[in-house]
């Protein structure tokens, strides 16, 4: 098989032409003009794919990538779920039951100590919450990393797995600036908000986590989506918040509270009819908080 290549490096030593031809069968590189063989030992630059199945289209060079979301980081082997042999034929009934027993023992053998079992259960909980709270892979990966650090510091012993999982997820959301409140995570995992907050304070203190200041603008689209507000109101609320950030009004305030207040003021400005109660339900903050934050934002808009 011959392949034309334009060499960006050395020219033909005989005629100086740059156009070379590669013979991939013999490993020779020769000049297309005068035919001189430049080298007879070139390395194969093609893909090193191999297929061990009947499906030749399903070629892979490597296995699955490693991930902190898996208790063994994806480094162990597993017995596949398909009850078929190497040729694709279904297994007999007796063989199926034998393979099922092997799968069970293989699964049990991968978690020897209680710490391994604890980690496995915690990561399974995180995987369930990923879909429930519509979280991305990067958030779960970060939460798994924080949980592993908590295990190294022996913070897990004597504490609820669900509480620590929820705290790690909340810390991960804060770290990646994903707009999820303590209430969202507590409802998702079905435990009290107080328990999540207690575990979060513990890991924050013991692991010395550094959290970025949450931008209230990130909460606007989420609240507007739940409350079914128009794009015009969303843009107006974003403009109000950007102005408030420049004047230092948002410092030290609850991000969701100030985002809800900005949306309420934006609705009044655009003529969209939405009550404080509707925005309160969508944002998860009380009507009193919205009124208090509105007072501060109104004062800022007046002073301008």
């Amino acid at each position: 098989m011959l392949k034309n290549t334009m060499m960006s490096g050395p020219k033909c030593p005989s005629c100086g032409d740059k156009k070379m031809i590669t013979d991939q069968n013999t490993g020779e590189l020769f000049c297309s003009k005068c035919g001189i063989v430049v080298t007879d030992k070139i390395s194969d630059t093609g893909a090193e794919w191999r297929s061990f199945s009947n499906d030749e289209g399903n070629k892979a060079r490597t296995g699955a990538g490693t991930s902190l979301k898996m208790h063994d980081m994806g480094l162990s082997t597993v017995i596949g779920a398909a009850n078929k042999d190497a040729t694709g034929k279904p297994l007999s009934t007796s063989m199926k039951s034998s393979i099922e027993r092997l799968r069970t023992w293989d699964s049990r053998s991968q978690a020897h100590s209680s710490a391994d079992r604890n980690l496995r259960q915690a990561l399974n909980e995180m995987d369930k919450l990923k879909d429930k709270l519509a979280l991305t892979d990067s958030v779960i990966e970060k939460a798994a990393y924080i949980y592993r650090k908590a295990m190294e510091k022996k913070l897990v012993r004597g504490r609820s797995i669900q509480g620590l999982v929820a705290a790690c997820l909340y810390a991960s959301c804060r770290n990646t600036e994903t707009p999820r409140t303590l209430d969202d995570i507590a409802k998702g995992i079905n435990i009290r908000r107080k328990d999540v907050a207690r575990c979060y304070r513990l890991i924050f203190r013991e692991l010395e986590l550094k959290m970025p200041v949450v931008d209230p603008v990130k909460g606007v689209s989420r609240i507007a989506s739940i409350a079914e507000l128009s794009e015009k109101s969303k843009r107006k609320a974003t403009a109000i918040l950007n102005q408030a950030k420049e004047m230092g009004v948002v410092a030290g305030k609850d991000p969701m509270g100030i985002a809800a207040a900005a949306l309420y003021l934006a609705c009044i400005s655009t003529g969209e009819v939405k009550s404080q109660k509707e925005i309160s339900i969508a944002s998860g903050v009380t009507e009193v908080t919205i009124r208090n934050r509105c007072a501060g934002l109104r004062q800022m808009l007046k002073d301008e």
Side-chain angles (χ1 to χ4, degrees):
M1 183 180 173
L2 301 179
K3 186 179 176 184
N4 290 327
T5 54
M6 289 293 290
M7 298 292 289
S8 57
K11 302 174 185 177
C12 171
S14 177
C15 65
D17 192 54
K18 282 190 176 181
K19 196 172 182 183
M20 299 289 173
I21 295 177
T22 306
D23 189 337
Q24 293 181 346
N25 293 326
T26 61
E28 292 177 347
L29 182 72
F30 54 91
C31 177
S32 63
K33 193 173 182 182
C34 65
I36 188 171
V37 177
V38 178
T39 179
D40 60 354
K41 290 179 182 177
I42 59 166
S43 57
D44 185 7
T45 56
E48 296 176 18
W49 289 340
R50 291 183 294 171
S51 175
F52 296 101
S53 66
N54 291 334
D55 181 12
E56 286 297 323
N58 185 22
K59 293 182 178 180
R61 183 173 177 176
T62 58
T66 58
S67 172
L68 291 171
K69 294 183 291 181
M70 294 181 241
H71 76 283
D72 53 11
M73 296 194 189
L75 296 173
S76 67
T77 55
V78 290
I79 299 173
N83 288 316
K84 292 180 180 178
D85 62 13
T87 59
K89 292 178 182 175
L91 299 175
S92 63
T93 310
S94 60
M95 186 56 74
K96 270 185 194 175
S97 59
S98 299
I99 292 294
E100 198 56 50
R101 282 198 300 274
L102 283 171
R103 278 198 199 101
T104 306
W105 282 109
D106 181 58
S107 174
R108 288 175 184 170
S109 68
Q110 288 175 15
H112 301 289
S113 63
S114 60
D116 287 336
R117 288 194 293 274
N118 179 299
L119 182 61
R120 196 170 192 171
Q121 190 179 338
L123 296 178
N124 282 339
E125 286 287 343
M126 284 183 194
D127 201 45
K128 289 175 194 169
L129 282 170
K130 180 191 168 185
D131 296 327
K132 223 175 193 181
L133 299 173
L135 299 171
T136 60
D137 284 334
S138 59
V139 173
I140 302 297
E141 195 87 17
K142 184 71 180 177
Y145 172 77
I146 295 169
Y147 193 88
R148 286 173 188 273
K149 286 290 178 190
M151 285 191 77
E152 283 177 22
K153 286 260 187 180
K154 295 185 170 53
L155 304 179
V156 177
R157 184 170 293 177
R159 291 188 175 86
S160 153
I161 291 176
Q162 287 186 319
L164 270 171
V165 163
C168 290
L169 275 171
Y170 180 64
S172 177
C173 288
R174 287 284 303 272
N175 190 267
T176 55
E177 298 186 2
T178 304
R180 297 291 180 279
T181 61
L182 267 173
D183 288 316
D184 292 335
I185 289 169
K187 281 177 190 170
I189 204 165
N190 200 22
I191 59 173
R192 292 184 304 172
R193 182 187 191 276
K194 190 166 70 174
D195 296 336
V196 181
R198 190 190 299 122
C199 288
Y200 173 70
R201 284 194 296 272
L202 172 78
I203 62 170
F204 183 82
R205 184 178 65 249
E206 294 295 326
L207 301 182
E208 298 177 359
L209 299 174
K210 301 285 188 292
M211 293 297 170
V213 178
V214 180
D215 187 356
V217 174
K218 290 185 181 291
V220 168
S221 59
R222 185 163 181 265
I223 299 167
S225 176
I226 297 168
E228 296 178 354
L229 298 176
S230 65
E231 186 66 30
K232 192 177 179 183
S233 296
K234 277 168 63 177
R235 288 182 183 178
K236 181 67 179 172
T238 304
I240 292 169
L241 286 173
N242 287 332
Q243 191 179 332
K245 281 195 290 183
E246 286 174 15
M247 298 183 75
V249 177
V250 301
K253 306 288 193 300
D254 173 35
M256 292 302 274
I258 204 151
L263 272 169
Y264 180 65
L265 290 177
C267 287
I268 294 170
S269 175
T270 58
E272 192 169 355
V273 181
K274 280 289 172 186
S275 67
Q276 283 184 3
K277 187 176 181 180
E278 287 174 298
I279 292 176
S280 168
I281 292 165
S283 61
V285 298
T286 63
E287 291 175 57
V288 176
T289 304
I290 293 174
R291 281 195 289 274
N292 291 340
R293 297 293 165 263
C294 278
L297 291 174
R298 275 199 183 104
Q299 188 63 45
M300 175 204 74
L301 293 168
K302 274 182 189 175
D303 294 342
E304 192 196 352

